[in-house]
Amino acid sequence: MISFIIKSLTIENFKGIGQKVAFDFKPITLFFGQNSAGKSTVLHAINYLHDVFNYHTINADSTSLGHDALDLGGFKQFVHNHDLDKAVSLEVFLDLRDVELLEIGVSKSYLDSLSSVENNVDEYRSLEISPITDEVNSAVLRLNISWSELLKKPYVKQFNVDINDESFIQVSASSDCKQREITKINMVHSLFVEAFGEEGLYALTQFIIEDSFLDVHGNAILGFENAVDALPDHHKSLSLTDIWSDDAIEYSGQKNKFKGLLSALLMGPLEIVADTLAEMRYLGPMRDVPHRNYIPTPTESKNWSNGLAAWDLLFKENLTLLKEVNDWLNTKDADVKRLNTGYEVKIDEYRQFQVGSRLEGLLNVSDLNQNKTEIEKLLLDMPVKKQFVLNDVRRGVDVFPSDVGVGISQLLPVVVGALAKNIAILSIEQPEIHIHPALQVALGDLLIFASKHKNKSFIIETHSEHLMLRLLRRIRETASEELENLDYSFNPDDLNVVYVECIEGETRLISLRVDEDGEFIDRWPNGFFGERAEELF
């Protein structure tokens, strides 16, 4: 359930977003709003967050997921109002109820130290932290990204982690980034009081850390070695500067226990959110049409922004994914209504020989049998090439993607992304672009199916009323038990409709609740989608 670990995102001072805005991640999250209201800004913030956590790319220009389709322009451009005195703040809420923190990679060193005493039952139990980590239900990760005049670049000034809705730890960096240290620990967090008594974590650390580095009140100067600013490097094991007391050698078990707790509770959530976002792909608002001689790459790319990576993945996973994609594009079952585009994707294989080659000469003789053995050898020595074609089922002909209407090329990456494995989160700008209303409503069924059966979540910026109407219809049919195909069962809790509007130069996010009748509980601001009523009546 990796795609549903991230429950919400809070954004402040990013592009058109000044004051804090927040939204919840649902299996399907739709962003509506007027042009230039800031819908794309939210998707761009998620792209930026992906690169911050996975690559520590703070001064992002393009992003690893967006490439040429997404130009952030660097911190000076994307900080709100280009004001370098402001700090970009990003906050992620994680649901960790189904996560084993001690199975996270950063806990390996602690587990190695624990295994070294496993034959001593009493010592093993005294150093075990699973009774603490097993009680972790949630975490909030909060980044504060500021501009350093000394370095002439942005840096993570502060990184905070809350556990179970209580503050846990604060990591800070100086403006020259020479000091990178834990500056505050909540010693009496309820997890520690339950485990160690009323003194909380201090009952453990007083034997191993001098009070000048960490006192009973949680004031700390615990330096990080594996960090360039306040954001630790989750790719490496926890590495603290020498803050240990003279007695730390005698209490080596407690030292490892303390480092194990920091690895699990500080580094663990960081690794989890990075890994979750690493399974996200971003489809930009305009997907490229493969040209006639397009050669798919055999390896999977994270660059889905122009849509071509979808074709590449379809080529790579053709034995399994191709059939499922074609079932959605043009199902053979008349009782199953899907997209019904009338097209199927085929991968043609061919060999190509050069004009004037030996093979051409052999093929130009009147009796091919006299050179049959050599012709067969030359043919087998030639590399097999592959290319995409679309089979027009209604006319029974094969055509290149560039020969058909642009709508199919815009739709196919959405279908592939929805059905492909190893994509937990699919972020899409305008999935409905260039496709007619019947396809837009059917797209709603695809999103429902993929969220239920492929364990995916979708973050979508759209203008499509048709797409939304299909989702509302499925909610209504599910509640009334009128749904014919349970693959499309859908509940209000599975959907988040967010209206984005710009008020006095500030982007605002307004979540619109839906009831079990598929009706909006909250009114659409400014009469959005009111044009239909005006035109009809």
Side-chain angles (χ1 to χ4, degrees), residues 328-331 333 336-343 394 439:
W328 271 93
L329 289 177
N330 187 67
T331 181
D333 188 343
V336 178
K337 295 182 179 179
R338 291 185 172 174
L339 295 169
N340 293 327
T341 65
Y343 289 94
R394 291 161 293 194
L439 278 177

Side-chain angles (χ1 to χ4, degrees), residues 207-390:
F207 300 110
I208 55 175
I209 301 176
E210 297 286 355
D211 279 355
S212 57
F213 293 111
L214 178 61
D215 64 26
V216 67
H217 303 294
N219 300 306
I221 310 175
L222 308 181
F224 267 105
E225 292 184 344
N226 58 327
V228 296
D229 50 26
L231 184 63
D233 186 353
H234 72 275
H235 298 97
K236 301 176 182 177
S237 297
L238 177 70
S239 180
L240 298 174
T241 55
D242 188 6
I243 43 85
W244 313 108
S245 68
D246 294 337
D247 296 328
I249 296 177
E250 180 182 352
Y251 293 98
S252 60
Q254 282 86 337
K255 177 180 174 180
N256 288 331
K257 186 171 185 176
F258 175 71
K259 292 178 70 175
L261 283 169
L262 288 190
S263 293
L265 302 181
L266 168 61
M267 304 289 282
L270 180 55
E271 183 174 338
I272 289 167
V273 73
D275 289 348
T276 302
L277 291 171
E279 295 195 13
M280 180 175 76
R281 297 295 181 267
Y282 164 77
L283 273 173
M286 292 295 294
R287 277 75 80 180
D288 289 350
V289 181
H291 54 74
R292 294 181 189 277
N293 300 315
Y294 180 73
I295 300 175
T297 58
T299 56
E300 184 180 355
S301 170
K302 295 183 73 171
N303 178 18
W304 279 62
S305 58
N306 62 6
L308 292 179
W311 297 87
D312 295 344
L313 184 62
L314 199 57
F315 174 79
K316 178 175 177 287
E317 302 285 347
N318 66 84
L319 294 179
T320 53
L321 184 58
L322 183 62
K323 180 182 184 305
E324 195 170 8
V325 167
N326 281 333
D327 283 345
W328 271 93
L329 289 177
N330 187 67
T331 181
K332 300 291 194 303
D333 188 343
D335 294 329
V336 178
K337 295 182 179 179
R338 291 185 172 174
L339 295 169
N340 293 327
T341 65
Y343 289 94
E344 292 181 351
V345 180
K346 292 174 60 179
I347 299 176
D348 275 354
E349 297 183 349
Y350 65 96
R351 290 185 170 96
Q352 186 176 18
F353 64 83
Q354 191 173 7
V355 174
S357 66
R358 169 69 176 165
L359 180 59
E360 183 186 29
L362 294 173
L363 291 173
N364 281 330
V365 300
S366 57
D367 185 5
L368 295 179
N369 286 325
Q370 64 180 341
N371 299 314
K372 180 180 178 182
T373 301
E374 186 178 1
I375 290 172
E376 288 177 345
K377 183 179 184 305
L378 289 173
L379 282 172
L380 290 174
D381 288 343
M382 293 174 61
V384 176
K385 296 185 177 182
K386 298 182 180 183
Q387 65 183 8
F388 282 111
V389 294
L390 294 175

Side-chain angles (χ1 to χ4, degrees), residues 447-456 486-490 494:
L447 299 180
I448 294 172
F449 177 87
S451 68
K452 285 171 59 69
H453 299 284
K454 301 292 182 177
N455 193 32
K456 293 179 186 287
L486 295 181
D487 281 343
Y488 309 135
S489 63
F490 201 50
D494 298 327

Side-chain angles (χ1 to χ4, degrees), residues 128-129 131-133 135-136 161-164 166-169 184-205 214 216 218 257-266:
E128 198 178 10
I129 63 172
I132 297 175
T133 59
E135 295 301 315
V136 174
V161 177
D162 298 348
I163 300 291
N164 293 355
E166 292 182 54
S167 64
F168 164 53
I169 201 163
K184 190 73 178 177
I185 299 178
N186 182 3
M187 306 293 271
V188 291
H189 190 287
S190 58
L191 288 174
F192 302 140
V193 171
E194 185 174 344
F196 303 114
E198 62 180 16
E199 286 187 315
L201 192 59
Y202 187 70
L204 175 69
T205 61
L214 178 61
V216 67
K257 186 171 185 176
F258 175 71
K259 292 178 70 175
L261 283 169
L262 288 190
S263 293
L265 302 181
L266 168 61

Side-chain angles (χ1 to χ4, degrees), residues 412-429:
L412 185 128
V414 178
V415 178
V416 174
L419 298 175
K421 60 183 180 181
N422 299 327
I423 299 177
I425 303 171
L426 189 59
S427 171
I428 316 172
E429 292 197 51

Side-chain angles (χ1 to χ4, degrees), residues 54-74:
N54 280 285
Y55 307 117
H56 207 280
T57 306
I58 307 302
N59 198 22
D61 188 355
S62 61
T63 67
S64 62
L65 298 179
H67 288 257
D68 296 338
L70 202 167
D71 181 11
L72 294 179

